Amino acid sequence: MLNIICVRLVGGLGNQLFIYAFGLARSKKQKKRLLVDNISGFSHRDKYNAVCVLDDYKVKEDLIRGSIYKYFVANRYFWFLVKRFKLGHIERDQYSHDDNLDDVKSCFFQGYWQSYLYFHEYKDVLKEKLQLMNSENSKIIDYKNKILNTKNSVAIGMRFYDTFPGDAEQYGVKSIDYYMEAMKLIESKEKNLTYFVFSMNIERAKEELSICRDRNIIFVNPLLRMADAPLDMYLMSLCNHYIISNSTMYWWAAYLGEAENSMVICPSAFLNKNCLLPHWKKVT
């Protein structure tokens, strides 16, 4: 087999990070070079019009764009062929963790790999790699200063899946009851909290939380371009505590941002049960 581990990026920021983290961990375990195909998974065929956003992190040397491999790996026909003829290719459609992969010696991997069990032992390496290159971006600097100057901040990520028909039913939208219970849980442990609310539909988030007038809430105006997703996630990661909905991007904000004394509250029925860390607080 080739002395590489190659993964193919697809989807939005959260999905891309799971795929990258899986590939990084696998390359470390097998002492092989990591190649990330950040080209072939993004095209006009994607209904979400996703774009690769890993360029915003310290992972340049892992991206296939700067490698000679891009000339024959970074296209959808290559991935079709290695899958069709089983040329060192593994694909997993399911989101759950696969224990049997530990002994597999394949080179090419497709899938979402949405489980911290694939890469958690390399969390420190990931935190170093996934540092935002432009953390002083003018688009976020005011909110960044507000968060950093807040004594006890809580990031609330509200995902409504209201862009495409059927997404809300498939992925699940949390009701206001979930957020109220989560806030009360944090307030039972922490005082003097300031909530920073993140959502692609901030007006709906304001409506949902209109009953929380007695709390200190700051609504973060969203950056609606997909290419700006790392900026939103970075702001969330600066907070002390986290309340997340069914969103891989919000999952990563909590995973990368949590400290020893952080509280992370998440839905008990998340997108994938293997995502949720044991110490995170699960709320129905």
Side-chain angles (χ1 to χ4, degrees), residues 24 33 112 152 198 242:
L24 177 71
R33 180 187 176 189
Y112 290 97
N152 215 0
F198 296 80
Y242 302 88

Side-chain angles (χ1 to χ4, degrees), residues 57-58 123-132 256:
Y57 300 103
K58 297 181 179 181
K123 184 175 183 179
D124 289 341
V125 179
L126 282 167
K127 290 185 74 169
E128 178 64 28
K129 286 276 197 177
L130 298 178
Q131 290 186 45
L132 188 67
L256 295 175

Side-chain angles (χ1 to χ4, degrees), residues 203-217:
E203 294 305 318
R204 180 171 172 181
K206 289 178 180 178
E207 292 176 9
E208 294 279 333
L209 296 174
S210 61
I211 62 174
C212 302
R213 300 184 189 279
D214 58 331
R215 292 175 170 87
N216 187 15
I217 299 179

Side-chain angles (χ1 to χ4, degrees), residues 95-218:
Y95 295 115
S96 58
H97 181 259
D98 186 350
D99 296 324
N100 297 321
L101 278 184
D102 289 342
D103 298 323
V104 172
K105 302 302 181 183
S106 298
C107 300
F108 304 103
F109 294 86
Q110 291 189 86
Y112 290 97
W113 318 109
Q114 289 181 6
S115 171
Y116 73 95
L117 297 172
Y118 285 124
F119 52 77
H120 191 55
E121 63 189 286
Y122 298 101
K123 184 175 183 179
D124 289 341
V125 179
L126 282 167
K127 290 185 74 169
E128 178 64 28
K129 286 276 197 177
L130 298 178
Q131 290 186 45
L132 188 67
M133 298 287 286
N134 188 13
S135 60
E136 299 298 316
N137 191 299
S138 60
K139 295 179 180 180
I140 62 171
I141 196 65
D142 289 342
Y143 284 118
K144 176 181 178 178
N145 290 333
K146 284 181 181 178
I147 294 172
L148 292 178
N149 291 322
T150 297
K151 184 177 180 181
N152 215 0
S153 56
V154 182
I156 300 181
M158 303 181 73
R159 182 81 181 264
F160 296 113
Y161 290 102
D162 49 2
T163 306
F164 292 90
D167 280 3
E169 290 76 15
Q170 181 178 354
Y171 299 115
V173 175
K174 302 312 295 181
S175 69
I176 186 58
D177 293 337
Y178 164 76
Y179 297 103
M180 293 297 296
E181 185 175 350
M183 284 188 281
K184 289 176 182 177
L185 183 55
I186 290 184
E187 289 162 359
S188 69
K189 306 290 185 181
E190 302 287 337
K191 305 299 179 186
N192 301 316
L193 297 167
T194 300
Y195 295 94
F196 289 85
V197 178
F198 296 80
S199 178
M200 294 296 283
N201 189 340
I202 205 67
E203 294 305 318
R204 180 171 172 181
K206 289 178 180 178
E207 292 176 9
E208 294 279 333
L209 296 174
S210 61
I211 62 174
C212 302
R213 300 184 189 279
D214 58 331
R215 292 175 170 87
N216 187 15
I217 299 179
I218 295 174

